[in-house]
Amino acid sequence: ARGTSAMPTAPDIKSDDYYKVLGVDKTATDNEIAKAYKKLALKYHPDKNPDDKEVAEEKFKIITEAYEVLHDQDKRSNYDRFGKASAGQGGGGSDGVSFQQADDIFKAFFGGNDPFSMFFGDDGGGGPGGMFGGGGMGGPRVVFQGGPGGMGGMPFDMGGMGGMGGFPGMMGKGRGKGGRASAPPPPAYAMPIGTSVVVRGLAKAQEHNGKTGKIKGFDQGKERYEVEVDSETTLSLRPANLTQQCRVSLVGIESQPELNGQSAQILGFNDQQNRYTAKLETRLASGRDVIGLQPANVILSQGTRVITQGLSKEEFNGLMAQITDVDREAMRYTVQAQKNKIIKIKYENVLC
């Protein structure tokens, strides 16, 4: 049974066995496979090996091909029974996934972000200000839900650090025996409680980029979401550092018209390329199911919360809004934004 893996072996990228490529046992858990892939993909990505790019690219493709099969339960099961041919792979390197496919999978793994450009992400300051935002204006606020021993499980909020050097809000928002006080529901333009999101674009606390989480609250005064990324950590993040994992329809893709009308799940967003990473509901004939999409090629559903971008009137950019109508013929959304603004805009002028 999986979950009782032996000690990992050294990766053997020249091996014809996907498990040996990643250096994991055949009983490896999904988490062990993901950790092995992350370490190897970061090591051998061509961008990290500019002096030996061609060799690195081949290794990167082989590593990603192995991960692409082993992290998919159906593909892994078929591979375990019948080998590579049944998993839909051609046998590694140039005969398997292309570099573009491998790079799309790599970026999807990091929530649609490019991990090598995260150092330049905009989360309120690009300098080495410390994990928790340094001067108080940058970085995410981090709340450890478990709290130090003896505090009765009260939230321990590191978000107040910086500035004057004090710890305002140290005990979080839930004072007293009753735990957290009940908060009002988010406004109509903000994401509802429970929305699934991916963290992106943090220049500080980069270890959180690519993590998935759920919206637990919204501070209207600070315009920050409270996002639970695991059972012990909640982050306080700006809307621009979150991408919703919503379902979309594809439209206007001239290079691959067979994709138009298909459904996909948003996995993340790459700020540098201004592209979503999405997983198709139906695989392509090549077996590929993770692709990059421009916002103009995505139709979001009515009710989706978005952020406006790229509008000629600067005061309309960066607003949180809710899509109230989708005009597919005109390829426009009507959105109701903050400050009671109602705007009719193109598909490309919003991000989910």
Side-chain angles (χ1 to χ4, degrees):
R2 287 172 189 164
T4 57
S5 59
M7 290 292 291
T9 58
D12 180 5
I13 298 173
K14 294 180 180 179
S15 175
D16 201 43
D17 184 315
Y18 287 145
Y19 292 101
K20 291 181 180 178
V21 167
L22 296 181
V24 298
D25 191 77
K26 289 190 176 182
T27 59
T29 63
D30 291 343
N31 187 49
E32 288 167 337
I33 289 168
K35 286 173 67 176
Y37 168 71
K38 179 180 179 181
K39 182 178 179 180
L40 291 170
L42 287 171
K43 180 179 179 180
Y44 289 109
H45 193 285
D47 289 354
K48 286 288 292 291
N49 298 273
D51 296 332
D52 202 11
K53 207 157 190 168
E54 289 186 9
V55 172
E57 181 176 309
E58 284 304 308
K59 291 181 178 180
F60 175 71
K61 289 191 292 185
I62 293 169
I63 291 161
T64 306
E65 179 182 312
Y67 167 74
E68 204 269 336
V69 170
L70 297 184
H71 93 287
D72 183 304
Q73 291 300 318
D74 291 337
K75 286 187 176 182
R76 182 177 179 180
S77 177
N78 286 335
Y79 172 72
D80 287 345
R81 294 174 64 193
F82 306 114
K84 285 186 176 180
S86 65
Q89 305 301 323
S94 59
D95 296 324
V97 298
S98 67
F99 173 71
Q100 185 59 56
Q101 290 171 329
D103 205 40
D104 284 345
I105 293 167
F106 176 72
K107 287 172 182 173
F109 182 90
F110 287 95
N113 292 296
D114 180 351
F116 304 123
S117 60
M118 286 177 185
F119 294 98
F120 308 103
D122 180 14
D123 72 333
M131 178 174 174
F132 301 113
M137 294 299 292
R141 296 163 58 88
V142 181
V143 181
F144 297 96
Q145 299 286 6
M151 290 190 177
M154 303 267 299
F156 181 54
D157 185 348
M158 298 295 288
M161 290 185 67
M164 300 301 291
F167 288 81
M170 178 175 171
M171 297 307 295
K173 299 185 176 87
R175 305 184 183 190
K177 295 180 180 179
R180 289 179 181 271
S182 59
Y189 55 76
M191 288 183 280
I193 304 299
T195 301
S196 295
V197 294
V198 180
V199 180
R200 65 179 173 93
L202 298 178
K204 302 167 187 174
Q206 294 175 33
E207 69 274 17
H208 296 301
N209 285 319
K211 287 185 178 179
T212 58
K214 288 191 180 294
I215 300 295
K216 292 296 180 182
F218 179 70
D219 187 326
Q220 195 166 347
K222 295 187 174 83
E223 292 191 355
R224 282 180 177 257
Y225 288 102
E226 196 172 297
V227 183
E228 185 179 75
V229 293
D230 58 46
S231 60
E232 296 184 351
T233 308
T234 298
L235 308 177
S236 182
L237 299 173
R238 284 188 287 272
N241 293 121
L242 297 170
T243 299
Q244 294 170 72
Q245 290 190 308
C246 52
R247 296 197 67 76
V248 299
S249 298
L250 310 189
V251 67
I253 303 175
E254 295 180 0
S255 59
Q256 290 181 284
E258 69 275 13
L259 290 175
N260 294 321
Q262 276 214 44
S263 296
Q265 177 92 14
I266 297 297
L267 300 177
F269 185 77
N270 186 306
D271 291 281
Q272 286 70 40
Q273 297 181 0
N274 193 40
R275 292 167 73 88
Y276 292 110
T277 305
K279 184 179 179 68
L280 296 171
E281 193 173 80
T282 305
R283 293 181 185 275
L284 297 173
S286 64
R288 181 182 176 196
D289 61 357
V290 176
I291 61 172
L293 294 167
Q294 296 178 353
N297 299 129
V298 162
I299 303 177
L300 301 167
S301 301
Q302 184 175 333
T304 303
R305 273 54 169 194
V306 296
I307 299 175
T308 58
Q309 65 160 10
L311 297 167
S312 57
K313 291 188 177 180
E314 191 57 40
E315 68 267 26
F316 289 141
N317 288 318
L319 295 177
M320 289 184 282
Q322 178 179 174
I323 296 174
T324 57
D325 185 64
V326 181
D327 187 336
R328 289 177 178 249
E329 189 172 331
M331 301 182 74
R332 298 284 193 280
Y333 299 119
T334 300
V335 302
Q336 185 165 358
Q338 294 168 275
K339 306 172 187 175
N340 293 318
K341 295 181 183 292
I342 296 177
I343 318 168
K344 194 159 187 175
I345 51 181
K346 297 177 182 178
Y347 293 161
E348 64 205 58
N349 293 128
V350 303
L351 294 176
C352 70

